[in-house]
């Protein structure tokens, strides 16, 4: 996604003298206010900068502040209407962007006001929370991360962009790249889980999917990296709560995915609700200016999260909204989402000399830069074609992609005695649990324009897969909320009469997502009681889990014959699950966020540090619980399929490496089972002794490998100095001399390793 800025000058101009090249490049960078070392994203165009200069010269201060203002249309609450006064704001040039307005015709009407009824005709920017699909809904991002397939994440984002752009949208508030290690936090469903490397890879893939190769393509969206930064470290897993981490942890764990998506070309960033080192992110100059712009060279614009400027008053860092706005704009915020703080105060603050006009011009330049990149100044209605919308929404090809990606995102957590796959030659199946026939719950939180009536539920998928020859008894037991045991007796009766029992368990869709933290992450309601009573019938049962976070399910693990983690799989949920349950395809996903045994273990994650007294079951004074194991129920990277794999010892092509060198790590993987399967081969590194303490292991590479029964393949990885680098004691980034242990295997517990030395 990134190119050298000289490409934007046109390939025809070949400079023959290096001094001339340097002078021209330096001049362009200086004019644009860009540091000379910046690698410029593909969407940057110097011709646009000249046009922006002309436009800034014509704009009044009020019109400039308008470009820094974002209001919601309230579509989701009242239908396709704008709150009173918003259309007047568009006409007066006091509003430059709108979110929660969608469909081609509706957005065209609003765009027409901006372009044809204002003094300068600056087009509006339309944004929306397109998190895992627009109308065709894909698995939640956490589930997609479990596929360990960045190509699938890129494809789903590309389809989401195609549908959204056809529906009049220009901008999505995704991807969320917050590293999260506490499953109590409801927003874990929006991200890629606990691991930095996986977060980097999946976040970058989603940016490429949304933005494509050229933002001028009218089927692309601006991506928005959120939430900057460290929102996933909210204390106690409670949404909007305080974050208190060291600068080292910030740089080692929470910032890398943001840098990865910036390098992939992410056009916009969103501030987070949390504070960091006592300063709310929306007022944090260290984050927004020093790191994002000065260190990383970010050239897009920064938008706040919903009313986060206003919220600096209860944070206790500003006495009123005017002061909060000053803190935000001076920290580096370009656009105020919904709070109307810039709208109400910024003009006067500039006139009073509290805010420099250059700050305003820089912010407006960054916003206009993206409107030019999208081609809105060439054709403001290019995203507003109702015929194009009809042709690109919920197409058969999109549904087929949703089905395939859903299959790849589901994790087989348990499969005793080869319970799965089930035979299609059964005579009677019992399907128990309200989630088995709930379209709304299949698409999860943040489902954009996804609709329950479009969803294939588990029940429907099973019936279509089995046909009329198999009797399917569905018992609609709603055991999730409250203590009502209604339907238990009927469920037990159906189970006793069935050849196979499928139990749909988990959370309803609103139990995860924003403002959906849970202190108890076991099965809610009386589902554990239902599990216990079913187990007492002696009839083996298959549990299918629907949820937006890892759950603490030790009792289910003991009692179910098989457990398939389906997450919230999207529009094609039922078809995808049936494909796996009956063996038309095989599970291949792995755990992206550790499943604890109990909430008391949280946070529990694989890349922990060893401590000076690591667990020793034979010694009291070591790091362990009196009443629980240290190990999780299902570790990061774990997942079964319908075959088995064995690993040979990893081999390094050399035992030593220097800063400019590379080491190739090879291992042989063999399918030791009876059917074709896909394994995610994972490589982890441990620094055995550093200038600061290091994690027990860190994921550095993975490959999805398909093997037929009995087949072996040699899998090769390449390690570089970058893979061994970290923030050292003096906070410089790089590798250190010493020994590194390299593990290769099927999950984060991989035991086979080879040691290399960095010199």
């Amino acid at each position: 996604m990134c190119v050298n800025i000289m490409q934007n000058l046109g390939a025809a101009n070949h400079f023959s003298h290096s001094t001339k090249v340097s002078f021209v490049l330096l001049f362009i960078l200086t004019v644009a206010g860009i540091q000379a070392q910046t690698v410029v994203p593909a969407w940057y165009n110097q011709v646009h900068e000249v046009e922006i200069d002309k436009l800034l010269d014509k704009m009044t201060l009020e019109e400039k502040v308008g470009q820094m203002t974002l209001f919601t249309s309230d579509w989701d609450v009242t239908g396709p209407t704008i709150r009173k006064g918003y259309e007047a704001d568009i006409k007066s040039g006091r509003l430059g962007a709108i979110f929660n307005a969608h469909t081609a015709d509706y957005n065209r009407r609003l765009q027409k006001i901006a372009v044809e009824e204002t003094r300068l005709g600056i087009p509006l920017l339309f944004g929306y929370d397109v998190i895992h699909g627009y109308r065709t809904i894909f698995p939640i991002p956490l589930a997609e991360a479990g596929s360990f397939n960045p190509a699938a994440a890129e494809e789903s984002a590309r389809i989401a962009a195609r549908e959204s752009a056809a529906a009049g949208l220009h901008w999505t508030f995704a991807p969320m790249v917050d590293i999260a290690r506490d499953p109590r936090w409801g927003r874990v469903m929006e991200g890629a889980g606990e691991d930095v490397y996986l977060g980097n890879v999946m976040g970058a893939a989603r940016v490429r999917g949304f933005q494509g190769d050229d933002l001028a393509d009218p089927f692309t969206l601006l991506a928005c990296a959120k939430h900057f930064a460290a929102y996933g470290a909210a204390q106690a897993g409670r949404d909007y709560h305080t974050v208190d981490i060291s600068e080292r942890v910030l740089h080692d764990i929470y910032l890398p995915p943001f840098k990865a998506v910036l390098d992939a070309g992410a056009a916009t960033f969103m501030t987070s609700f949390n504070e960091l080192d006592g300063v709310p992110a929306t007022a944090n100059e260290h984050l927004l200016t020093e790191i994002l712009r000065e260190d990383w060279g970010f050239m897009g614009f920064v938008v706040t999260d919903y009313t986060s400027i206003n919220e600096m008053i209860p944070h206790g860092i500003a006495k009123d909204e005017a002061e909060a706005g000053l803190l935000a704009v001076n920290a580096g915020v370009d656009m105020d989402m919904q709070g109307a703080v810039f709208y109400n105060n910024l003009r006067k603050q500039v006139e009073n000399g509290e805010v420099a006009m250059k700050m305003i011009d820089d912010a407006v330049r960054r916003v206009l830069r993206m409107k030019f990149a999208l081609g809105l100044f060439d054709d403001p209605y290019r995203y507003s074609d109702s015929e194009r919308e009809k042709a690109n929404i919920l197409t058969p090809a999109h549904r087929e992609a949703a089905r395939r990606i859903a299959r790849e995102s589901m994790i087989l957590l348990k499969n005793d005695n080869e319970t799965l796959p089930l035979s299609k030659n059964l005579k009677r199946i019992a399907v128990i649990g309200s989630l088995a026939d709930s379209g709304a719950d299949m698409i999860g939180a943040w489902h954009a324009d996804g609709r329950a009536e479009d969803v294939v539920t588990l029940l429907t998928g099973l019936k279509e897969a089995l046909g009329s020859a198999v009797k399917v008894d569905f018992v609609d037991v709603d055991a999730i909320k409250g203590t009502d045991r209604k339907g238990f007796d009927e469920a037990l009766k159906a189970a006793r009469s069935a050849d196979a029992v499928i139990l749909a368990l988990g959370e309803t869709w609103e139990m995860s997502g924003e403002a959906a933290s849970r202190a108890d992450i076991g099965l809610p309601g009386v589902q554990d009681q239902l599990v216990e009573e079913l187990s007492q019938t002696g009839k083996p049962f298959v549990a299918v889990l629907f949820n937006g976070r890892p759950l603490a399910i030790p009792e289910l693990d003991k009692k179910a014959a098989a457990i398939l983690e389906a997450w919230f799989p999207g529009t094609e949920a039922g078809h995808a699950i049936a494909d796996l349950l009956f063996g038309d395809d095989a599970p291949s996903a792995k755990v992206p966020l550790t499943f604890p045994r109990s909430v008391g273990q949280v946070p529990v994650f694989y890349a922990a540090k060893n401590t000076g007294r690591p667990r020793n079951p034979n010694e009291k004074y070591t790091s362990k619980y009196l009443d629980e194991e240290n190990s999780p129920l299902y570790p990061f990277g774990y997942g079964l399929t319908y075959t088995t794999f064995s690993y040979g010892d990893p081999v390094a092509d050399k035992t030593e490496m220097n800063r400019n060198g590379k080491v190739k790590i090879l291992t042989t993987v063999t399918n030791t089972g009876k059917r074709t399967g896909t394994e995610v081969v994972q490589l982890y590194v441990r620094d055995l002794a550093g200038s600061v303490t290091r994690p027990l292991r860190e994921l550095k590479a993975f490959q999805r490998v398909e093997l037929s029964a009995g087949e072996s393949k040699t899998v090769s990885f390449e390690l570089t100095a970058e893979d061994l680098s970290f923030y050292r004691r003096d906070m410089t980034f790089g590798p250190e001399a010493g020994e590194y242990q390299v593990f290769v295997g099927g999950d984060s517990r991989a035991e086979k390793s080879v040691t290399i030395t960095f010199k």
Side-chain angles (χ1 to χ4, degrees), residues 443-739:
I443 54 179
W446 294 119
H447 49 251
D449 196 39
R451 303 176 187 181
E453 60 266 28
D454 296 330
V455 173
V456 178
T457 66
L458 171 57
L459 183 63
T460 299
L462 292 173
K463 287 181 176 179
E464 290 185 10
L466 295 170
S468 58
V470 180
K471 180 171 176 51
V472 178
D473 296 320
F474 172 54
V475 185
D476 188 8
V477 181
D478 185 3
I480 301 173
K481 297 177 180 177
T483 58
D484 189 353
R485 293 165 50 87
K486 183 179 178 182
F488 272 39
D489 290 343
E490 186 181 352
L492 297 174
K493 180 180 177 182
R496 291 187 183 100
S497 302
D499 300 314
V501 180
I502 298 172
L503 178 59
L505 297 167
E507 303 174 312
T508 55
W509 73 266
E510 73 275 11
M511 288 181 173
S512 64
E514 186 172 355
S517 298
R518 292 182 57 206
D520 180 354
I521 53 172
L523 288 169
V526 291
Q527 293 180 96
D528 272 325
Q529 294 179 32
L530 180 58
V531 167
E532 171 62 25
E533 295 192 23
L534 272 174
S535 70
Q536 291 181 7
T537 66
K539 186 68 64 79
F541 66 90
V542 175
V544 179
L545 286 172
F546 300 103
N547 41 288
R549 56 162 57 81
L551 299 175
I553 49 171
E555 293 306 310
L556 179 64
D557 181 68
K558 292 175 185 174
K559 291 162 184 163
I563 303 174
L564 181 68
E565 173 57 87
W567 307 103
F568 293 123
T571 305
E572 285 289 314
H575 285 149
I577 297 168
D579 289 342
L580 297 182
L581 292 181
F582 295 107
D584 296 322
D585 208 318
S588 60
K590 301 284 189 172
V591 170
L593 181 58
T594 300
F595 280 66
R597 296 178 186 275
S598 64
V599 73
Q601 290 181 306
V602 172
V604 55
F605 52 94
Y606 86 91
K609 294 186 177 182
N610 204 30
T611 85
R613 293 188 180 187
R615 178 184 180 273
N616 184 331
N618 300 316
E619 292 187 19
K620 176 178 175 63
Y621 296 102
T622 58
S623 184
K624 59 182 182 292
Y625 299 102
L626 293 175
D627 56 351
E628 185 60 273
E629 295 289 327
N630 280 21
S631 63
L633 187 60
Y634 309 119
F636 177 85
Y638 165 84
L640 305 173
T641 186
Y642 296 151
T643 188
T644 53
F645 302 96
S646 68
Y647 283 78
D649 291 327
V651 176
D653 70 340
K654 57 177 72 82
T655 58
E656 294 183 355
M657 180 172 66
N658 59 31
R659 183 175 296 275
N660 298 317
K662 297 176 181 178
V663 172
K664 187 176 288 186
I665 307 293
L666 302 98
T667 190
T668 300
V669 184
T670 302
N671 182 339
T672 54
K674 299 176 182 178
R675 59 176 290 168
T676 297
T678 297
E679 171 72 326
V680 179
V681 183
Q682 301 158 49
L683 181 145
Y684 296 84
V685 170
R686 181 184 182 187
D687 183 353
L688 295 178
S691 60
V692 293
T693 58
R694 303 293 296 134
L696 286 166
R697 59 184 67 186
E698 296 175 292
L699 181 70
K700 294 297 179 180
F702 58 82
Q703 290 185 37
R704 286 175 59 91
V705 179
E706 183 177 271
L707 297 170
S708 57
E711 182 182 8
S712 296
K713 281 186 182 177
T714 298
V715 180
S716 175
F717 298 100
E718 194 172 73
L719 278 178
T720 67
E722 180 77 12
D723 297 312
L724 308 181
S725 297
F726 59 97
Y727 283 88
R728 298 168 291 204
R729 186 177 297 190
D730 62 0
M731 286 304 289
T732 59
F733 183 77
E736 289 183 337
E739 290 188 327

Side-chain angles (χ1 to χ4, degrees), residues 39-302:
V39 177
V40 180
W43 42 257
Y44 178 84
N45 188 321
Q46 179 60 23
V47 174
H48 295 162
E49 299 300 305
V50 176
E51 295 302 314
I52 292 169
D53 285 336
K54 294 176 183 177
L55 193 51
L56 285 170
D57 286 342
K58 297 175 185 177
M59 295 174 73
T60 66
L61 177 55
E62 187 169 74
E63 288 167 335
K64 291 177 180 178
V65 173
Q67 293 301 305
M68 300 171 68
T69 299
L70 171 65
F71 287 146
T72 178
S73 78
D74 274 2
W75 172 282
D76 289 339
V77 178
T78 59
T81 60
I82 277 188
R83 290 178 181 175
K84 184 178 179 181
Y86 279 36
E87 291 192 24
D89 288 330
I90 298 173
K91 290 179 183 179
S92 65
R94 298 189 69 197
L95 181 58
I98 293 175
F99 68 115
N100 292 340
H102 55 111
T103 71
D105 286 342
Y106 180 55
N107 287 9
R108 185 183 187 92
R109 182 177 72 80
L110 298 178
Q111 191 71 283
K112 187 177 176 68
I113 298 172
V115 172
E116 301 181 23
E117 299 183 40
T118 65
R119 191 176 73 88
L120 296 176
I122 300 173
L124 292 167
L125 188 67
F126 293 108
Y128 195 43
D129 281 292
V130 182
I131 306 301
H132 53 114
Y134 174 71
R135 183 74 179 272
T136 305
I137 304 302
F138 289 83
I140 58 173
L142 182 63
E144 280 193 349
S147 73
F148 280 68
N149 187 352
E154 183 172 344
E155 182 183 5
S156 73
R158 183 68 50 84
I159 291 171
R162 188 172 191 86
E163 292 194 352
S164 303
L169 291 164
H170 310 131
W171 183 24
T172 175
F173 304 129
M176 188 190 93
V177 294
D178 296 306
I179 297 300
R181 294 173 167 178
D182 191 331
R184 293 174 296 182
W185 190 45
R187 300 196 80 162
V188 297
M189 56 80 60
E190 286 184 67
E194 71 185 61
D195 183 68
V196 176
Y197 178 76
L198 184 60
N200 293 350
V201 170
M202 300 304 282
R206 299 192 74 213
V207 168
R208 292 193 299 269
F210 288 132
Q211 296 191 175
D213 297 322
D214 185 356
L215 284 176
D217 179 345
F219 281 107
T220 60
L221 297 178
L222 302 177
C224 185
K226 67 182 189 184
H227 307 83
F228 196 63
Y231 191 28
Q235 291 177 355
R238 202 170 77 229
D239 215 351
Y240 318 118
H241 200 12
T242 300
V243 167
D244 188 9
I245 57 176
S246 69
E247 190 77 3
R248 185 179 310 284
V249 169
L250 174 68
H251 281 271
D252 270 342
I253 307 301
Y254 295 97
L255 290 184
F258 288 98
K259 182 60 164 60
V261 296
L262 185 151
D263 290 343
T268 69
F269 269 57
M270 181 185 291
T271 66
S272 53
F273 286 119
N274 58 278
E275 67 172 65
L276 192 66
D277 194 23
V279 181
T282 302
N284 200 306
E285 186 176 359
H286 177 54
L287 282 176
L288 304 182
T289 297
E290 293 174 5
I291 294 175
L292 183 58
R293 293 217 172 89
E294 294 176 359
D295 293 349
W296 295 355
F298 177 59
M299 298 173 66
F301 71 81
V302 173

Side-chain angles (χ1 to χ4, degrees), residues 9-29:
L9 299 178
N13 293 325
H14 295 282
F15 295 90
S16 59
H17 195 282
S18 61
T19 303
K20 186 176 181 182
V21 173
S22 299
F23 174 78
V24 173
L25 180 56
L26 180 60
F27 174 76
I28 291 170
L29 292 171

